[in-house]
Structures are given as C-alpha cells and as structure tokens.
Amino acid sequence: MKIGIIGLSGVGKTSLFNALTKSSASVAGGRNSAPNIATIRVPDERIDKLSDVYKPKKTSYANVEFVDIAGVIPGGAAQAAGENNLLNNIRPVDVICHVIRVFDEECEQLTDAVNIIGDIKKINDELLLSDLAMIESRISRMNLKKKTPASEQEQKLLEKLKAHLEAEQMLFTLELTPDEETTLQGFKFLSQKKQIVVLNIDEKYIKTDINSKYADAMAYLKKLDTPHIQISAKIEMEISQLEGDDEKLFLEENGLAEPGRNRLIRLAYDVLGNISFFTAGEDEVKAWTIQKNDNAHEAAGKIHSDIQRGFIKAEVVSYADFLEHGSVEKAKSAGKYRLEPKHYVVVDGDIINFRFNV
Ligand SMILES: Nc1nc2c(ncn2[C@@H]2O[C@H](COP(=O)(O)OP(=O)(O)OP(=O)(O)O)[C@@H](O)[C@H]2O)c(=O)[nH]1
Ligand SMILES: [Mg+2]
C-alpha cells in the first residue's frame, strides 16, 4: 500500500512523515526538493502473536510506503509550470493523506487563521485542475488521430469525466462501471483517489476531540464522504523517537492509546477496503493484503499463480480460534478449522493453508 502526503506549505507534512516513518527528513522545506519516501511495516499484533508461537525463520509484515511532497501552491498558473511534476510524485499512491494545519502557531508562509474547509478546497482544486488538464490534452491528441470504436468509447468517457470536473466535482464522487474503471486505470487521476484528512492539531488539543470546535468543517467532510483523524505531528515526532516502555509511558502521559501511525494505517486499510489474511509455518509467518470480499481463490492468487491454478481447498482457522487454543494445531484438534472452497469469502485475520495441486 502506498500513501501520499499532501497539503499546503508548512502544514506539517514532513513532520508527520518523520513521525510515521521514524525518519529525520528536513522540516526546513524547500520548493524543489525531491519527495521524501520511506517504507515501514504495518504494525499488527496478530502477526506478533503468530510469530511468538511459530518462531519462524522469517516474519513478514505488510508494508506501507509513504511519499511526502513539497507544499502545493494554489493557483492554476503554478500548476501548469513545475507544479505538475510535484503532483506526479503522488500519482502512483493508493490513498491521499491530506494534512491540514489546525495548529495556531504562525509558520513562515502561513499567517492566516485555521481554515479547514478553505484548505481542503484549495488542494482539491489543484487535484481537479491537474486531472482536467490531463484529460484535455488526451482529448486533443485523440482528435488528431484516426478514430476507432475503442478510442471513440474512451473519448466519450473522458468527456463525461471532464463535465464532472468542470462542475467542480472530484472524480472519486463519480460512479463508474468496472469496464470504465479498467479504461481509466492507466491515467491514475488524482481526484479519483480515496482521501484521508489528517487534522494536524495543536499539542494543547491532544486530549480533546476537536469535532465540536470545528463543526462546520466536520459537516463538510461528512458531505465529501472523506474520513478524518486528528493527530499532533509535533507530539507524534516525539513519540517516534521513543521505544518500548518509554513510548508506552509517553503515550499514557498524553492520554493516547497508541501512536497516530497505527490509527492512520488502520484508516487507510479501511478506506481502501483492504483486509489481511495470514499464512503461518516454521519457515515463515506472513501477512497478505487483499480486498474485502475477495474469495479464497483470489487470495491464493496473491501468493502464487500456481496455488491459484491448482487450488483444491483452503484450510482456514480464524484468528480468534487460534488465540483461544494457543496454536493452529490445537485449534485444528478442537475441530476449529474449515475446508473452504474457491468461492469462500476470506475474513480479516483468517489463517489459511492452501491445498493445491499443479
Ligand atoms: N505547533 C506545531 N507546529 C508544527 C506542527 N507540525 C509542524 N509544525 C511546524 O511547522 C513547520 C513546518 O513543518 P513541516 O513539517 O516542515 O511542514 P511541511 O508541510 O512539510 O512544509 P513544506 O514541505 O515546506 O510545505 C515547522 O516549523 C514545524 O515545526 C504541530 O503539530 N504543531
Ligand atoms: Mg515538507
């Protein structure tokens, strides 16, 4: 999974990036700096537990890559110049994490009052304009070429998207058929990506739910169907420097149940409809990421095309049964396993052994 961090200048994107990835990228900023990129493993106590029991040679967590780009400068003109390149850095991501400044401190470029709705609109406008520019250039190139039934169909679809964007609607709000989705896959439109809004709050609100303070903004986000979380990037940076008991103590002192990293990653999984299943053995304990509603056959394909092709049955033990009985073997002895066919819909946390024959 890839998460792109975007936002206006000086809102705390790099601070958040550092906190999430335990990195130490410069928070001095700089307009033309290359994006910060780092991969971390997805914290999952289920994998920890499985690993404790199996003591495998290798433990493989799911990974998430974070990409932090320089601040987006509002305005179509900047967009047409170098700014387009900036946004291209987040074209490959699965989900956009949009950081909003909700701390009052004056930053170098930001002296305005907190304006959650205004900031969201500014960034979304840039995403929208970038997509519009891409569509317009594609259509004008298509107009120079000989038409085919396929190209005509694509053009019709692009015109539909264009109208949507011109009505100032993000593409993620447009219902598409699976065929249309396939046609558009290569474009990687920015306004089509799912978003999470990170409210980068002032440290003093760390123990306060700010929803009622910013009720208008919350209503606006709800209308956009965009989930949000509140995080203090500054506090999270401090947390990320700590380990083990020190971390635990600091979290407790600040009334936090866990680092913001965990909450953000969980939300990203949720927004993307991602779930995990596990394979466990003496060689390796591993987390696999699939989509909610994927079946056992599709899950097998994640591991290897041979396992998918030669699929016989999926031996499934639920994570709860594994926990209750202390090991997969004991759960099996207690009859807590199922032999599931191809069309079985995998449940988050399933521990699966695929029986296959090639
Ligand atoms: N008080 C407070 N200050 C913060 C917080 N997050 C970031 N800052 C400060 O805001 C300034 C900018 O932080 P960065 O993390 O570099 O922001 P950015 O969004 O990456 O900035 P650009 O990359 O230049 O757009 C720094 O001086 C930070 O110390 C926060 O949660 N609370
Ligand atoms: Mg930065």
Side-chain angles (χ1 to χ4, degrees), residues 214-256:
Y214 297 105
D216 286 357
M218 298 308 135
Y220 179 75
L221 283 172
K222 193 156 184 208
K223 214 172 93 204
L224 275 185
D225 202 15
T226 301
H228 68 274
I229 51 173
Q230 58 180 70
I231 279 181
S232 161
K234 209 168 175 180
I235 297 273
E236 295 292 337
M237 277 244 268
E238 289 176 39
I239 297 170
S240 70
Q241 312 293 327
L242 305 169
E243 304 273 353
D245 285 348
D246 288 343
E247 183 190 55
K248 229 163 128 186
L249 203 67
F250 188 90
L251 286 168
E252 267 169 29
E253 278 171 7
N254 286 285
L256 298 166

Side-chain angles (χ1 to χ4, degrees), residues 305-346:
S305 54
D306 283 352
I307 302 183
Q308 186 171 45
R309 204 153 31 86
F311 185 102
I312 300 170
K313 290 273 175 189
E315 254 177 53
V316 183
V317 172
S318 76
Y319 183 74
D321 286 334
F322 157 78
L323 255 196
E324 190 187 329
H325 294 275
S327 81
V328 167
E329 277 57 47
K330 284 182 195 150
K332 278 185 179 171
S333 312
K336 293 296 171 81
Y337 84 103
R338 291 165 278 132
L339 278 180
E340 299 285 8
K342 281 183 184 177
H343 60 76
Y344 165 72
V345 175
V346 176

Side-chain angles (χ1 to χ4, degrees), residues 18-69:
N18 284 340
L20 294 168
T21 62
K22 296 189 186 243
S23 305
S24 46
S26 162
V27 292
R31 298 257 14 98
N32 299 314
S33 49
N36 297 308
I37 300 178
T39 301
I40 62 161
R41 63 186 207 195
V42 174
D44 191 334
E45 59 183 23
R46 298 171 301 183
I47 281 282
D48 299 338
K49 190 83 196 163
L50 280 164
S51 197
D52 273 354
V53 170
Y54 279 91
K55 310 219 175 333
K57 295 191 190 101
K58 192 173 166 200
T59 300
S60 304
Y61 292 76
N63 287 325
V64 52
E65 180 182 287
F66 288 96
V67 182
D68 162 43
I69 58 171

Side-chain angles (χ1 to χ4, degrees), residues 272-288:
L272 292 173
N274 284 346
I275 59 168
S276 306
F277 76 90
F278 307 114
T279 50
E282 274 153 25
D283 282 335
E284 190 178 15
V285 164
K286 183 168 173 136
W288 302 87

